[in-house]
Amino acid sequence: MKLQQIQCTSCGAPIEWDGKYGQPVKCTYCGSVFLPAVTGREDVWLMTDVVARARYEFEGRLDKLEQDIRFEVMRGQDWSALDRAYAAEINRLETEGVVRKLATFWAISPHPSVYRALRDGELNLKGNRIPFKKGDDIVWACPMTRDRFNLDWPVLIGDFQDQRTQQLCGNMANAMMGRMR
Ligand SMILES: [Zn+2]
């Protein structure tokens, strides 16, 4: 069994964990008992499209996706301040009718929702203004996506029908499928 390293929620000591959610773990340093969750259970799904999540649940693979998000996407850390800023901003823009959520989600974990800009606007990520144009598609970008597209911010804005985008996404989706198996 492959062990993963997590932190004790009380004292922060490193603990080897067998990756089984829902089973209490006892810290060998301070003795406290806790349920492993580097990030709160609901918080893990911050970036995941509800339809994508429901699909994994239907297929009985939700645990796999949760694990992938925690350890491959979040790398055992919490969401960054910029990630949270993106989540808040895209909700604000949707509420204000500047963007609308499309009936599609990003091909790779954590399968964030894809939005389309209904008019010109901007995302404000901790004081950094990131403009978009009417008709642009907008999606949260995981570290892997950031690397592939050389992004400065955790957001990909552009034409997702574009050949280059499709090809890059195809490559990433394949890499992802390999890991999920
Ligand atoms: Zn402890």
Side-chain angles (χ1 to χ4, degrees), residues 120-136:
D120 293 1
E122 64 178 25
L123 289 146
N124 187 334
L125 302 187
K126 313 271 307 163
N128 304 289
R129 292 161 178 275
I130 298 145
F132 53 80
K133 287 194 165 22
K134 180 181 178 181
D136 277 348

Side-chain angles (χ1 to χ4, degrees), residues 7-13 15 26-32 34:
Q7 282 192 331
C8 171
T9 53
S10 294
C11 72
I15 297 170
K26 187 173 183 181
C27 174
T28 50
Y29 296 87
C30 74
S32 65
F34 64 96

